[in-house]
Amino acid sequence: MEYSQHAFLKELGITEENSGLYNGKWGGKGDLIKCINPTTGNVIATVRGATSEEYEETIQAMIAAKTKWALTPAPKRGEIVRLIGESLRAKIVPLAKLISLEMGKIFIEAKGEVQEFIDVCDFATGLSRSINGQVMPSERPGHVLLENWNPLGLVGIITAFNFPCAVLGWNAAISLICGNVQLWKGASSTSLITVAVTKIVVEVLEKNGFDGAICSTIIGPGRTVGEKMIQDKRFGLISFTGSTDVGRRISQVVHSNFGRTILELGGNNAIIVAEDANVELALRAVLFASVGTTGQRCTTCRRLFVHESHYDAVLERLKKAYSTVKIGDPLVEGTLVGPLHTAAAVKEYTEGIEEIIKQGGKIAYGGKKIDRAGGFFVEPTLVEINHDAPIVKTELFVPILYVMKFKNLDDAFEWNNEVPQGLSSSLFTNNQMNIFKWMGPTGSDCGIVNVNVATNGAEIGGGFGGHKETGDGIESGSDAWKQYMRRSTCTINYSTSMPLSQGIEFGN
Ligand code: UN1
């Protein structure tokens, strides 16, 4: 085990053997999970997952904690969330190091991920004093229509390996100020991060006299724990980030019970470089968007449409940029591309390359697995291919960028929209007519529609989410909080008569 080589793990309360269940107390009597370092392929430490009995105990602990939290004034809940943000600030360096170690993203990006959690804590703290309903005029004298928002109760948060900290933050910070208790199931392959973040969060709750079960955590295989969560009608909301296939299953199960979901599924995000674009800006954005996080963001740019007048130059410049990108240990300064997260991702990459070639794709740069001391390394890859090759319409969660040429901007808009996914998109242009068309009804059909900015790296203040096979619902900013609450419309009569709406005279 690598445990003793990484001193920062102790600062986070991680030991060689960790408990993978928290519901007011630590538990975990289930299977042993070996936590792998994708840079070396070695085991870092272990986590003991939960059993079915412990799942039920956890739900009971959450139900027991629910009322006190729901009745705590929202600004007081906001204060707890602010303190969670403070604790994260204090632990940002060791936590980011753990994210690099276990997930594989470079330290700077890992730090950015913790920062996202901190930012959303600040945002949620503010919201805790401003979430509000509308007051509407009534058609009846002496009446008023009010909207009132109450907590949902239990919220299930299922997150993916690629943002093992921030995506919990987007959901948890907002859900907490809304007055919910929550169960977090992080990806099994990032269990140490789940344990470390849980420790930070529950310490704040408990120090301030609240039940730690408000933020319960369960680690276990998705097939068992995740399935239990989605079948469990006691959850008012299941927020899931992950693959489209799993999301489809969750949608079918939860919606058949009339439950509520937030689904943040696959992306197939395009950048369009128009004839009038600032190409220098575009190149910088494309590099970060395509090789950042080793191509494992749901917002990663996977398709690049370049106007024919810039095509050759852009491809050449990208090849050059790709060749200078430093690949290696994500904890070493200067590294820009870390390993893929798992051996299975390397297989997805190599099989993807084979399929690309079968479908007429030409490898312009990269295309090979890198043999490097047991780690899961691949070359970031540039491919020239037709926009309508079937593989271009699927999401390979690896650093492969398809580069395609266009003549008419309208075609590029159409190609942007021709895939089943609809998360993020970006147009590089200096023409205001293009910008407004891109944002309008015949423009991009994605949930994120950017201009002169990469497809990835969204700020927390906006709503984050997509359309079509990317799923439904938004996380993080804007009015995402509404999804974590139930709305009631209250008609209040403060008069001494009983007029009916629509002018109905009933009985008298
Ligand atoms: C994800 O990949 O699941 O916009 C989330 C971004 C980040 C979040 C990505 N702020 O790239």
Coordinates of all heavy atoms in Angstrom, one line a residue, residues 4-90:
S4 N 1.7 5.2 3.4 CA 2.7 5.9 4.2 C 3.5 6.9 3.3 O 4.2 7.8 3.9 CB 3.7 4.9 4.8 OG 4.2 4.1 3.8
Q5 N 3.4 6.8 2.0 CA 4.2 7.7 1.2 C 3.5 9.1 1.1 O 4.1 10.0 0.5 CB 4.3 7.2 -0.3 CG 5.0 5.9 -0.4 CD 4.8 5.3 -1.8 OE1 4.5 6.0 -2.8 NE2 4.9 4.0 -1.9
H6 N 2.3 9.2 1.5 CA 1.5 10.5 1.3 C 1.1 11.1 2.6 O 0.0 10.8 3.2 CB 0.3 10.2 0.4 CG 0.6 9.5 -0.8 ND1 1.3 10.1 -1.9 CD2 0.4 8.2 -1.2 CE1 1.5 9.2 -2.9 NE2 0.9 8.1 -2.5
A7 N 2.0 11.9 3.2 CA 1.8 12.5 4.5 C 0.5 13.3 4.6 O -0.2 13.3 5.7 CB 3.0 13.4 4.9
F8 N 0.0 13.9 3.6 CA -1.2 14.7 3.6 C -2.4 13.9 4.0 O -3.4 14.5 4.4 CB -1.4 15.6 2.4 CG -1.5 14.7 1.1 CD1 -2.8 14.2 0.8 CD2 -0.4 14.4 0.3 CE1 -2.9 13.4 -0.4 CE2 -0.6 13.6 -0.8 CZ -1.8 13.2 -1.2
L9 N -2.4 12.6 3.8 CA -3.6 11.8 4.0 C -4.0 11.9 5.5 O -5.2 12.0 5.9 CB -3.4 10.4 3.6 CG -3.2 10.1 2.1 CD1 -2.8 8.7 1.8 CD2 -4.5 10.5 1.4
K10 N -3.0 12.0 6.4 CA -3.2 12.1 7.8 C -4.0 13.4 8.2 O -4.9 13.4 9.0 CB -1.9 12.0 8.6 CG -1.3 10.6 8.7 CD -0.5 10.5 10.0 CE 0.1 9.1 10.1 NZ 1.3 9.0 9.4
E11 N -3.6 14.4 7.5 CA -4.2 15.7 7.8 C -5.7 15.7 7.5 O -6.5 16.5 8.0 CB -3.7 16.8 6.8 CG -2.3 17.3 7.2 CD -1.8 18.3 6.2 OE1 -2.4 19.4 6.0 OE2 -0.8 18.0 5.5
L12 N -6.1 14.7 6.6 CA -7.5 14.6 6.3 C -8.3 13.6 7.1 O -9.4 13.2 6.8 CB -7.6 14.3 4.8 CG -7.1 15.4 3.8 CD1 -6.9 14.8 2.4 CD2 -8.0 16.6 3.8
G13 N -7.5 13.0 8.0 CA -8.1 11.9 8.8 C -8.2 10.6 8.1 O -9.0 9.7 8.5
I14 N -7.5 10.4 7.0 CA -7.5 9.1 6.3 C -6.5 8.2 6.9 O -5.4 8.6 7.2 CB -7.2 9.4 4.8 CG1 -8.2 10.3 4.1 CG2 -7.1 8.1 4.0 CD1 -9.6 9.7 3.9
T15 N -6.9 7.0 7.1 CA -6.0 6.0 7.7 C -5.8 4.9 6.6 O -6.4 5.0 5.5 CB -6.6 5.4 9.0 OG1 -7.9 4.8 8.7 CG2 -6.7 6.4 10.0
E16 N -5.1 3.8 7.0 CA -4.9 2.7 6.0 C -6.2 2.0 5.7 O -6.4 1.5 4.6 CB -3.8 1.7 6.5 CG -2.4 2.3 6.3 CD -1.4 1.2 6.4 OE1 -1.7 0.0 6.3 OE2 -0.2 1.5 6.7
E17 N -7.0 1.9 6.8 CA -8.3 1.2 6.6 C -9.4 2.2 7.0 O -9.4 2.6 8.2 CB -8.4 0.0 7.4 CG -7.5 -1.1 6.9 CD -7.2 -2.2 8.0 OE1 -8.1 -2.4 8.8 OE2 -6.2 -2.8 7.9
N18 N -10.3 2.5 6.2 CA -11.3 3.5 6.5 C -12.7 3.0 6.5 O -13.0 2.0 5.8 CB -11.2 4.7 5.5 CG -9.8 5.3 5.5 OD1 -9.5 6.1 6.3 ND2 -8.9 4.8 4.6
S19 N -13.6 3.7 7.2 CA -15.0 3.3 7.2 C -15.7 4.0 6.1 O -15.6 5.2 5.9 CB -15.7 3.7 8.5 OG -14.9 3.3 9.6
G20 N -16.6 3.2 5.4 CA -17.2 3.8 4.2 C -18.7 4.1 4.4 O -19.5 4.1 3.5
L21 N -19.1 4.3 5.7 CA -20.5 4.7 6.0 C -20.5 5.7 7.1 O -19.8 5.5 8.1 CB -21.3 3.4 6.4 CG -22.7 3.8 6.8 CD1 -23.6 3.7 5.7 CD2 -23.1 2.9 8.0
Y22 N -21.3 6.7 6.9 CA -21.4 7.7 8.0 C -22.9 8.1 8.1 O -23.5 8.5 7.1 CB -20.6 8.9 7.8 CG -20.7 9.8 9.0 CD1 -20.0 9.6 10.1 CD2 -21.7 10.8 8.9 CE1 -20.3 10.4 11.2 CE2 -21.9 11.6 10.0 CZ -21.2 11.4 11.2 OH -21.4 12.2 12.3
N23 N -23.5 7.9 9.3 CA -24.9 8.3 9.4 C -25.1 8.8 10.8 O -26.1 8.6 11.5 CB -25.8 7.1 9.2 CG -25.5 5.9 10.1 OD1 -24.9 6.1 11.2 ND2 -25.8 4.7 9.6
G24 N -24.1 9.6 11.3 CA -24.2 10.1 12.7 C -23.1 9.4 13.5 O -22.5 9.8 14.4
K25 N -22.8 8.2 13.0 CA -21.5 7.5 13.4 C -20.9 6.7 12.2 O -21.6 6.5 11.2 CB -21.8 6.5 14.6 CG -22.9 5.5 14.4 CD -23.2 4.8 15.7 CE -24.3 3.7 15.6 NZ -25.2 3.5 14.5
W26 N -19.7 6.4 12.3 CA -19.0 5.7 11.2 C -19.3 4.2 11.3 O -19.4 3.7 12.4 CB -17.5 5.9 11.3 CG -17.1 7.3 10.9 CD1 -17.0 8.4 11.7 CD2 -17.0 7.8 9.6 NE1 -16.7 9.5 11.0 CE2 -16.7 9.2 9.7 CE3 -17.1 7.3 8.3 CZ2 -16.5 10.0 8.6 CZ3 -16.9 8.1 7.2 CH2 -16.6 9.4 7.3
G27 N -19.5 3.6 10.2 CA -19.8 2.2 10.1 C -19.1 1.6 8.9 O -18.1 2.1 8.4
G28 N -19.7 0.6 8.3 CA -19.1 -0.1 7.1 C -18.7 -1.5 7.5 O -17.6 -1.7 8.0
K29 N -19.6 -2.4 7.2 CA -19.4 -3.8 7.5 C -19.4 -4.6 6.2 O -19.5 -5.9 6.2 CB -20.5 -4.4 8.5 CG -20.5 -3.6 9.8 CD -21.5 -4.3 10.8 CE -21.6 -3.5 12.0 NZ -23.0 -2.9 12.2
G30 N -19.4 -4.0 5.1 CA -19.5 -4.6 3.8 C -18.2 -5.0 3.1 O -17.2 -5.2 3.8
D31 N -18.2 -5.0 1.8 CA -17.0 -5.4 1.1 C -15.9 -4.4 1.2 O -16.1 -3.2 1.4 CB -17.4 -5.4 -0.4 CG -18.3 -6.6 -0.7 OD1 -18.5 -7.5 0.2 OD2 -19.0 -6.5 -1.7
L32 N -14.7 -4.9 1.1 CA -13.5 -4.0 1.2 C -13.2 -3.4 -0.2 O -13.1 -4.2 -1.2 CB -12.3 -4.9 1.6 CG -11.1 -4.1 2.0 CD1 -11.3 -3.3 3.3 CD2 -9.9 -5.0 2.3
I33 N -13.0 -2.1 -0.2 CA -12.7 -1.5 -1.5 C -11.3 -1.0 -1.5 O -10.8 -0.4 -0.5 CB -13.6 -0.2 -1.7 CG1 -15.1 -0.7 -1.8 CG2 -13.2 0.5 -3.0 CD1 -16.1 0.4 -1.7
K34 N -10.5 -1.4 -2.5 CA -9.1 -1.0 -2.6 C -9.1 0.3 -3.4 O -9.5 0.3 -4.5 CB -8.3 -2.1 -3.3 CG -8.1 -3.3 -2.4 CD -7.3 -4.4 -3.1 CE -7.1 -5.6 -2.2 NZ -6.7 -6.8 -2.9
C35 N -8.5 1.3 -2.8 CA -8.5 2.6 -3.5 C -7.2 2.7 -4.3 O -6.1 2.7 -3.7 CB -8.6 3.7 -2.5 SG -10.1 3.5 -1.5
I36 N -7.3 2.9 -5.6 CA -6.1 2.8 -6.5 C -5.6 4.2 -6.9 O -6.4 5.1 -7.1 CB -6.6 2.1 -7.8 CG1 -7.2 0.7 -7.5 CG2 -5.4 1.9 -8.8 CD1 -6.3 -0.3 -7.0
N37 N -4.3 4.3 -7.0 CA -3.7 5.5 -7.5 C -3.5 5.3 -9.0 O -2.7 4.5 -9.4 CB -2.3 5.7 -6.8 CG -1.5 6.8 -7.4 OD1 -1.9 7.5 -8.4 ND2 -0.4 7.1 -6.8
P38 N -4.2 6.1 -9.9 CA -4.2 5.8 -11.3 C -2.8 6.2 -11.9 O -2.5 5.8 -13.1 CB -5.3 6.7 -11.9 CG -5.5 7.7 -10.8 CD -5.2 7.1 -9.5
T39 N -2.0 6.9 -11.2 CA -0.7 7.2 -11.7 C 0.3 6.0 -11.6 O 1.2 5.9 -12.4 CB -0.1 8.4 -10.9 OG1 -1.1 9.5 -11.0 CG2 1.2 8.9 -11.4
T40 N 0.1 5.2 -10.6 CA 1.0 4.0 -10.4 C 0.3 2.7 -10.6 O 0.9 1.7 -10.7 CB 1.6 4.1 -9.0 OG1 0.5 4.0 -8.1 CG2 2.4 5.3 -8.8
G41 N -1.1 2.7 -10.4 CA -1.8 1.4 -10.4 C -1.8 0.7 -9.1 O -2.3 -0.3 -8.9
N42 N -1.1 1.4 -8.1 CA -1.0 0.7 -6.7 C -2.2 1.1 -5.8 O -2.8 2.1 -6.0 CB 0.3 1.3 -6.0 CG 1.5 0.9 -6.7 OD1 1.5 -0.1 -7.4 ND2 2.6 1.6 -6.6
V43 N -2.4 0.3 -4.8 CA -3.4 0.5 -3.8 C -2.9 1.6 -2.9 O -1.8 1.6 -2.4 CB -3.7 -0.7 -3.0 CG1 -4.7 -0.5 -1.9 CG2 -4.3 -1.8 -3.9
I44 N -3.7 2.6 -2.6 CA -3.3 3.7 -1.7 C -3.7 3.3 -0.2 O -2.9 3.4 0.7 CB -4.0 5.0 -2.0 CG1 -3.8 5.4 -3.5 CG2 -3.6 6.2 -1.1 CD1 -4.8 6.5 -4.0
A45 N -5.0 2.9 -0.1 CA -5.5 2.5 1.2 C -6.8 1.8 1.0 O -7.2 1.7 -0.2 CB -5.7 3.8 2.1
T46 N -7.5 1.4 2.0 CA -8.8 0.7 1.7 C -10.0 1.4 2.5 O -9.8 2.1 3.4 CB -8.7 -0.8 2.2 OG1 -8.5 -0.7 3.7 CG2 -7.6 -1.5 1.5
V47 N -11.1 1.1 2.0 CA -12.4 1.6 2.6 C -13.3 0.4 2.7 O -13.5 -0.4 1.7 CB -13.0 2.7 1.7 CG1 -14.4 3.1 2.3 CG2 -12.1 3.9 1.7
R48 N -14.0 0.2 3.8 CA -14.9 -0.8 4.0 C -16.3 -0.3 3.7 O -16.8 0.6 4.4 CB -14.8 -1.3 5.5 CG -15.7 -2.4 5.9 CD -15.5 -3.8 5.4 NE -14.2 -4.3 5.8 CZ -13.7 -5.5 5.4 NH1 -14.4 -6.2 4.5 NH2 -12.6 -6.0 5.8
G49 N -16.9 -0.8 2.7 CA -18.3 -0.3 2.2 C -19.4 -0.7 3.2 O -19.1 -1.4 4.2
A50 N -20.6 -0.3 2.8 CA -21.7 -0.6 3.7 C -22.5 -1.8 3.3 O -22.4 -2.3 2.2 CB -22.7 0.6 3.7
T51 N -23.3 -2.3 4.2 CA -24.2 -3.5 3.9 C -25.6 -3.0 3.8 O -25.9 -1.8 4.1 CB -24.2 -4.5 5.1 OG1 -24.7 -3.8 6.3 CG2 -22.8 -5.0 5.4
S52 N -26.5 -3.9 3.4 CA -27.9 -3.5 3.2 C -28.6 -3.1 4.5 O -29.4 -2.1 4.5 CB -28.8 -4.7 2.7 OG -28.2 -5.1 1.5
E53 N -28.2 -3.7 5.6 CA -28.8 -3.4 6.9 C -28.3 -2.0 7.3 O -29.1 -1.2 7.8 CB -28.3 -4.3 8.0 CG -28.8 -5.8 8.0 CD -28.0 -6.6 6.9 OE1 -26.8 -6.6 7.0 OE2 -28.7 -7.1 6.0
E54 N -27.1 -1.7 7.0 CA -26.6 -0.3 7.3 C -27.2 0.7 6.4 O -27.4 1.9 6.9 CB -25.0 -0.3 7.1 CG -24.3 -1.1 8.2 CD -22.8 -1.0 7.9 OE1 -22.3 -1.5 6.9 OE2 -22.1 -0.5 8.8
Y55 N -27.6 0.4 5.2 CA -28.4 1.3 4.4 C -29.7 1.7 5.1 O -30.0 2.9 5.3 CB -28.7 0.7 3.0 CG -29.7 1.6 2.2 CD1 -29.2 2.6 1.4 CD2 -31.0 1.3 2.2 CE1 -30.0 3.4 0.7 CE2 -31.9 2.1 1.5 CZ -31.4 3.2 0.7 OH -32.3 4.0 0.0
E56 N -30.4 0.7 5.6 CA -31.7 1.0 6.3 C -31.5 1.8 7.5 O -32.2 2.8 7.8 CB -32.4 -0.3 6.5 CG -33.9 -0.1 7.0 CD -34.7 0.9 6.2 OE1 -34.6 0.9 5.0 OE2 -35.5 1.6 6.8
E57 N -30.4 1.4 8.3 CA -30.1 2.2 9.5 C -29.9 3.7 9.2 O -30.2 4.6 9.9 CB -28.8 1.7 10.1 CG -28.8 0.7 11.2 CD -27.4 0.1 11.4 OE1 -26.4 0.9 11.3 OE2 -27.3 -1.1 11.7
T58 N -29.2 3.9 8.1 CA -28.8 5.2 7.7 C -30.1 6.0 7.3 O -30.2 7.2 7.7 CB -27.8 5.2 6.5 OG1 -26.7 4.4 6.9 CG2 -27.4 6.6 6.0
I59 N -31.0 5.4 6.6 CA -32.2 6.1 6.3 C -33.0 6.5 7.5 O -33.5 7.6 7.7 CB -33.1 5.2 5.3 CG1 -32.4 5.0 4.0 CG2 -34.5 5.9 5.1 CD1 -32.2 6.1 3.1
Q60 N -33.0 5.5 8.5 CA -33.7 5.8 9.8 C -33.0 7.0 10.5 O -33.7 7.9 11.1 CB -33.7 4.6 10.7 CG -34.6 3.4 10.1 CD -36.0 3.9 9.8 OE1 -36.6 4.8 10.4 NE2 -36.6 3.3 8.8
A61 N -31.7 7.0 10.5 CA -31.0 8.1 11.1 C -31.3 9.5 10.5 O -31.4 10.5 11.1 CB -29.5 7.8 11.1
M62 N -31.4 9.4 9.1 CA -31.7 10.7 8.4 C -33.1 11.1 8.7 O -33.4 12.3 9.0 CB -31.6 10.4 6.9 CG -30.1 10.2 6.4 SD -30.1 9.6 4.8 CE -30.6 11.0 3.8
I63 N -34.0 10.2 8.8 CA -35.4 10.5 9.1 C -35.5 11.1 10.5 O -36.2 12.1 10.8 CB -36.4 9.3 9.0 CG1 -36.5 8.9 7.5 CG2 -37.7 9.6 9.6 CD1 -37.2 7.6 7.2
A64 N -34.7 10.6 11.5 CA -34.7 11.1 12.8 C -34.1 12.5 12.9 O -34.5 13.3 13.7 CB -33.9 10.2 13.7
A65 N -33.2 12.8 12.0 CA -32.6 14.2 12.0 C -33.3 15.2 11.2 O -33.1 16.4 11.3 CB -31.2 14.0 11.4
K66 N -34.3 14.8 10.4 CA -34.9 15.6 9.4 C -35.7 16.8 10.0 O -35.5 17.9 9.5 CB -35.9 14.7 8.6 CG -36.6 15.3 7.5 CD -37.4 14.2 6.7 CE -38.8 14.1 7.3 NZ -39.8 13.4 6.5
T67 N -36.5 16.6 11.0 CA -37.4 17.7 11.4 C -36.7 18.8 12.0 O -36.9 20.0 11.7 CB -38.5 17.1 12.4 OG1 -39.1 16.0 11.8 CG2 -39.5 18.1 12.8
K68 N -35.7 18.5 12.9 CA -34.9 19.6 13.5 C -34.3 20.5 12.5 O -34.3 21.7 12.6 CB -33.9 19.0 14.5 CG -33.1 20.1 15.2 CD -32.1 19.6 16.2 CE -31.2 20.7 16.7 NZ -30.0 20.3 17.3
W69 N -33.7 19.8 11.5 CA -33.0 20.6 10.4 C -34.0 21.4 9.6 O -33.8 22.6 9.3 CB -32.2 19.6 9.6 CG -31.3 20.3 8.5 CD1 -31.4 20.2 7.2 CD2 -30.2 21.2 8.8 NE1 -30.5 21.0 6.6 CE2 -29.7 21.6 7.5 CE3 -29.6 21.7 9.9 CZ2 -28.6 22.4 7.4 CZ3 -28.5 22.5 9.8 CH2 -28.0 22.9 8.5
A70 N -35.1 20.8 9.3 CA -36.1 21.5 8.5 C -36.7 22.7 9.2 O -37.1 23.7 8.6 CB -37.3 20.6 8.1
L71 N -36.7 22.6 10.6 CA -37.3 23.7 11.3 C -36.2 24.8 11.7 O -36.6 25.8 12.3 CB -38.0 23.2 12.6 CG -39.3 22.4 12.3 CD1 -39.9 21.8 13.6 CD2 -40.3 23.2 11.6
T72 N -35.0 24.5 11.5 CA -33.9 25.5 11.7 C -34.1 26.6 10.7 O -34.2 26.3 9.5 CB -32.5 24.8 11.5 OG1 -32.5 23.7 12.5 CG2 -31.4 25.7 11.8
P73 N -34.1 27.8 11.2 CA -34.2 28.9 10.2 C -33.2 28.9 9.0 O -32.0 28.5 9.3 CB -34.0 30.2 11.0 CG -34.3 29.8 12.4 CD -33.9 28.3 12.5
A74 N -33.7 29.2 7.8 CA -32.8 29.0 6.7 C -31.4 29.8 6.9 O -30.4 29.3 6.5 CB -33.5 29.5 5.4
P75 N -31.4 31.1 7.4 CA -30.1 31.8 7.5 C -29.2 31.0 8.5 O -28.0 31.1 8.4 CB -30.5 33.1 8.0 CG -31.9 33.3 7.5 CD -32.6 32.0 7.6
K76 N -29.8 30.3 9.5 CA -28.9 29.6 10.4 C -28.3 28.4 9.7 O -27.2 28.0 9.8 CB -29.8 29.1 11.6 CG -29.1 28.2 12.6 CD -28.1 29.0 13.4 CE -27.2 28.0 14.2 NZ -25.9 28.5 14.5
R77 N -29.1 27.8 8.8 CA -28.6 26.7 8.0 C -27.5 27.2 7.1 O -26.5 26.6 6.8 CB -29.7 26.0 7.1 CG -30.8 25.4 8.0 CD -31.7 24.5 7.1 NE -32.5 25.2 6.1 CZ -33.8 25.4 6.1 NH1 -34.6 24.9 7.1 NH2 -34.5 26.0 5.2
G78 N -27.7 28.4 6.6 CA -26.7 29.1 5.7 C -25.4 29.3 6.5 O -24.3 29.2 5.9
E79 N -25.5 29.6 7.7 CA -24.3 29.8 8.5 C -23.5 28.5 8.6 O -22.3 28.5 8.6 CB -24.7 30.4 9.9 CG -23.6 30.5 11.0 CD -22.5 31.4 10.6 OE1 -22.6 32.1 9.6 OE2 -21.5 31.4 11.3
I80 N -24.2 27.4 8.8 CA -23.5 26.1 8.8 C -22.8 25.9 7.5 O -21.7 25.4 7.5 CB -24.5 25.0 9.1 CG1 -25.2 25.2 10.5 CG2 -23.9 23.6 9.0 CD1 -24.2 25.1 11.7
V81 N -23.5 26.2 6.4 CA -22.9 26.0 5.1 C -21.7 26.9 4.9 O -20.7 26.5 4.4 CB -23.9 26.2 4.0 CG1 -23.3 26.2 2.6 CG2 -25.0 25.1 4.1
R82 N -21.8 28.1 5.5 CA -20.6 29.0 5.4 C -19.4 28.4 6.1 O -18.3 28.5 5.7 CB -21.0 30.4 6.0 CG -19.9 31.5 5.8 CD -20.3 32.8 6.6 NE -20.1 32.6 8.0 CZ -19.0 32.6 8.7 NH1 -17.8 32.7 8.0 NH2 -18.9 32.5 10.0
L83 N -19.7 27.8 7.3 CA -18.6 27.2 8.1 C -18.0 26.0 7.4 O -16.8 25.7 7.5 CB -19.1 26.8 9.5 CG -19.5 28.1 10.4 CD1 -20.2 27.6 11.6 CD2 -18.3 28.9 10.7
I84 N -18.9 25.3 6.6 CA -18.4 24.2 5.8 C -17.4 24.7 4.8 O -16.3 24.2 4.6 CB -19.5 23.4 5.2 CG1 -20.3 22.6 6.2 CG2 -19.0 22.4 4.1 CD1 -21.6 22.0 5.7
G85 N -17.8 25.8 4.2 CA -16.9 26.5 3.2 C -15.5 26.9 3.9 O -14.5 26.7 3.3
E86 N -15.6 27.4 5.1 CA -14.4 27.8 5.8 C -13.5 26.6 6.1 O -12.3 26.7 5.9 CB -14.8 28.4 7.2 CG -15.4 29.8 7.1 CD -14.4 30.8 6.5 OE1 -13.4 31.1 7.2 OE2 -14.6 31.3 5.4
S87 N -14.1 25.5 6.5 CA -13.3 24.3 6.8 C -12.6 23.8 5.5 O -11.5 23.3 5.5 CB -14.2 23.1 7.3 OG -14.4 23.3 8.6
L88 N -13.4 23.9 4.4 CA -12.8 23.5 3.1 C -11.6 24.4 2.7 O -10.6 23.9 2.2 CB -13.9 23.5 2.0 CG -14.9 22.4 2.1 CD1 -16.1 22.8 1.2 CD2 -14.3 21.1 1.6
R89 N -11.8 25.7 3.0 CA -10.7 26.6 2.7 C -9.4 26.2 3.5 O -8.3 26.2 2.9 CB -11.1 28.0 3.2 CG -11.8 28.8 2.1 CD -12.0 30.3 2.6 NE -12.7 31.0 1.5 CZ -14.0 31.1 1.4 NH1 -14.8 30.7 2.4 NH2 -14.5 31.8 0.4
A90 N -9.6 25.8 4.7 CA -8.5 25.5 5.6 C -7.8 24.2 5.1 O -6.6 24.0 5.3 CB -9.0 25.3 7.0

